[in-house]
Amino acid sequence: MHRLPTVPKFTKSWEMFEYNLLFVRRLVDFVGLDFMIENYKFNWRTGSAVFFCVTVFGLSLYNTAFYYPDMYKICEVSIPLSICLQSVTKLYYGYRHRHFYLETYDRIRQLHLKHQNHEENNAKLLLLIERIHVLSKLMTLLYTCGGLSYLAYPVLMHFMYQERVLALALRIPFVDADSTTGYIITNLYHVILIIVGCAGISAADIVITLMVGSLVGFVDVFTSDMNDLDRMLDSGDRNEEFIRDEVKSICGQHQHIIEYESDLDERYIVICFVQVFTSISGVVVALFLVYMIQFIPGYMLVLASFVQLLQLCLLGTVLTVKNEQITETTYNLRWYLLRKSEQKCILQMLHKSQSFVEMTVGGFAPLNLETFVSIMNRIYTYFMMLIQFLEQEE
């Protein structure tokens, strides 16, 4: 297997996992949500993240009334509000299920440690965690660029049009943003808000990528063990006791995968719904502002929202594909060469594989590429209808 050249040259997958986990922990620690800390407690960074979420929500309502009836400014206000809604959901469920994340990190670490001396499995797990790490850095870079586009917006407007604008359309009550002092204070608040927001969203999306992406490793190891069992059954010198232990181990792995998928669905069902909803609204509003007023940060916002939506749908598709892989591998096993007690175990496993867990948009629709394409088609249709309506009004 070819290794990715953009990451350190580790030979063991667990080393790459620890390296990637360190990158994740730096981001989550920045917003006070590093649940790997022993006896984690609510700290001042967590409180700061909560404070910014609360203030953005309050300021969004205030500024909606302040800018009314300026439709374009209200649309600008809706962007940080939708990001705030997404952040609050991830912050709440992250803190609520903090013990789950700690246990899951340990599950994944044990997977890598267990197979570090198995050449084939170690190679697969190493390549997987390398890809997850590269994706994590790319997402962080994208969200950082999105934040920088907002920070650069006032500078560009000043030099290009000699116009004083705020980074975000969020004015602070009792602070005159039209004065020099008030303008500086408001923009400083926006800078801090953007930095914290980018770090928090990046951390949350990297964690779900690691959680769901690691399922690929569990399934690949399961498939490898099933293939080993199949070869044992065809061997002329069969060791029945060893085969029985292998069947027991495989059934345990299958049960573990089912539990892992159920845990992911339970913890992320609401988060997925909110993220899909806010990503769609982000794409629609940003497209509208770009088309109508050439809103500069809107270009990066469209890309970031698009990638967020695509990321979730890809992860849901990966989950579905890997479940199908389990079913196919189990079906192809020559289970009829096993003893009757062992056959029952495999047949029961095959039966459970028929009703696997899927990631969903709040339980309303499956989260996969088909849903992504459907959403994009509807966004395009509704956006074109809106543009035609506005052009007729003019």
Side-chain angles (χ1 to χ4, degrees):
M1 294 183 182
H2 297 289
R3 305 184 73 258
L4 298 174
T6 54
V7 295
K9 295 182 179 180
F10 295 115
T11 57
K12 300 294 184 182
S13 66
W14 70 267
E15 295 173 326
M16 187 65 226
F17 171 76
E18 294 293 346
Y19 177 80
N20 181 73
L21 189 60
L22 180 62
F23 173 70
V24 176
R25 290 188 65 183
R26 284 172 179 165
L27 280 175
V28 295
D29 183 61
F30 185 79
V31 291
L33 293 172
D34 184 5
F35 304 129
M36 297 295 291
I37 299 175
E38 188 175 355
N39 299 321
Y40 168 86
K41 293 182 180 179
F42 194 95
N43 54 65
W44 71 269
R45 289 189 298 277
T46 317
S48 298
V50 173
F51 169 78
F52 282 117
C53 288
V54 172
T55 55
V56 168
F57 183 77
L59 289 177
S60 297
L61 298 179
Y62 166 76
N63 282 272
T64 298
F66 180 86
Y67 287 119
Y68 182 82
D70 188 334
M71 179 174 57
Y72 301 125
K73 282 297 182 182
I74 292 175
C75 285
E76 286 186 45
V77 171
S78 71
I79 293 172
L81 178 60
S82 65
I83 296 174
C84 175
L85 177 61
Q86 186 180 135
S87 300
V88 167
T89 305
K90 292 177 177 178
L91 186 65
Y92 170 74
Y93 281 98
Y95 184 78
R96 179 182 175 185
H97 299 301
R98 58 191 181 277
H99 299 298
F100 161 76
Y101 290 104
L102 182 60
E103 292 169 1
T104 304
Y105 289 142
D106 187 60
R107 281 187 193 179
I108 300 171
R109 179 184 287 108
Q110 293 305 317
L111 172 72
H112 290 279
L113 289 173
K114 181 179 179 180
H115 297 277
Q116 61 178 310
N117 295 321
H118 191 294
E119 185 177 353
E120 180 184 355
N121 288 345
N122 179 69
K124 289 180 179 179
L125 293 172
L126 178 59
L127 182 61
L128 170 66
I129 202 68
E130 283 177 344
R131 288 173 172 170
I132 290 174
H133 183 70
V134 171
L135 286 173
S136 300
K137 286 195 170 181
L138 288 175
M139 284 191 294
T140 304
L141 178 62
L142 175 63
Y143 297 155
T144 301
C145 289
L148 289 174
S149 70
Y150 267 99
L151 296 179
Y153 181 48
V155 179
L156 290 174
M157 294 298 289
H158 174 73
F159 284 104
M160 292 173 63
Y161 305 105
Q162 288 72 51
E163 184 179 346
R164 179 183 287 183
V165 299
L166 297 172
L168 299 171
L170 293 178
R171 290 172 173 262
I172 303 173
F174 311 113
V175 176
D176 183 10
D178 296 320
S179 67
T180 302
T181 303
Y183 179 76
I184 293 173
I185 291 173
T186 305
N187 268 325
L188 282 176
Y189 168 76
H190 291 170
V191 169
I192 298 172
L193 187 65
I194 289 169
I195 292 173
V196 174
C198 287
I201 294 295
S202 298
D205 287 358
I206 288 172
V207 169
I208 189 174
T209 301
L210 176 61
M211 295 286 185
V212 180
S214 293
L215 179 69
V216 175
F218 285 109
V219 175
D220 285 346
V221 168
F222 171 84
T223 302
S224 177
D225 289 348
M226 288 286 279
N227 292 334
D228 289 341
L229 175 61
D230 198 54
R231 285 191 289 269
M232 290 178 199
L233 297 177
D234 198 34
S235 173
D237 184 21
R238 289 178 43 157
N239 186 328
E240 296 298 339
E241 183 177 352
F242 190 79
I243 289 175
R244 183 177 65 251
D245 292 340
E246 189 69 11
V247 171
K248 184 178 179 181
S249 173
I250 287 172
C251 289
Q253 288 182 56
H254 186 258
Q255 184 63 33
H256 172 82
I257 291 172
I258 291 175
E259 292 173 355
Y260 188 86
E261 291 177 340
S262 298
D263 287 341
L264 288 177
D265 180 60
E266 181 181 348
R267 269 68 180 185
Y268 280 106
I269 187 170
V270 176
I271 292 176
C272 288
F273 175 77
V274 173
Q275 183 161 324
V276 168
F277 173 77
T278 54
S279 296
I280 292 172
S281 64
V283 170
V284 172
V285 172
L287 280 173
F288 176 73
L289 291 174
V290 167
Y291 182 85
M292 298 302 298
I293 61 173
Q294 293 297 304
F295 183 59
I296 296 174
Y299 293 96
M300 282 304 304
L301 183 64
V302 169
L303 180 59
S305 300
F306 176 86
V307 169
Q308 261 203 326
L309 186 58
L310 178 61
Q311 173 219 7
L312 277 185
C313 292
L314 279 174
L315 291 176
T317 302
V318 166
L319 192 67
T320 301
V321 169
K322 285 301 169 180
N323 278 318
E324 291 174 351
Q325 180 180 327
I326 291 174
T327 303
E328 183 180 355
T329 304
T330 306
Y331 183 80
N332 290 333
L333 178 71
R334 287 174 290 183
W335 53 269
Y336 49 85
L337 297 177
L338 293 167
R339 294 178 178 178
K340 286 187 177 181
S341 58
E342 295 155 2
Q343 288 181 14
K344 290 180 180 179
C345 180
I346 299 298
L347 290 174
Q348 185 179 14
M349 196 166 63
L350 184 61
H351 175 71
K352 289 182 179 180
S353 299
Q354 305 302 315
S355 55
F356 51 77
V357 177
E358 285 186 311
M359 291 182 70
T360 62
V361 185
F364 297 106
L367 197 59
N368 51 38
L369 288 178
E370 291 182 6
T371 301
F372 174 78
V373 172
S374 176
I375 290 172
M376 289 295 106
N377 286 336
R378 293 191 180 188
I379 288 176
Y380 174 78
T381 301
Y382 294 144
F383 182 71
M384 293 306 298
M385 290 172 60
L386 176 63
I387 295 305
Q388 290 176 4
F389 174 76
L390 293 173
E391 288 178 348
Q392 290 174 0
E393 288 293 312
E394 293 176 359

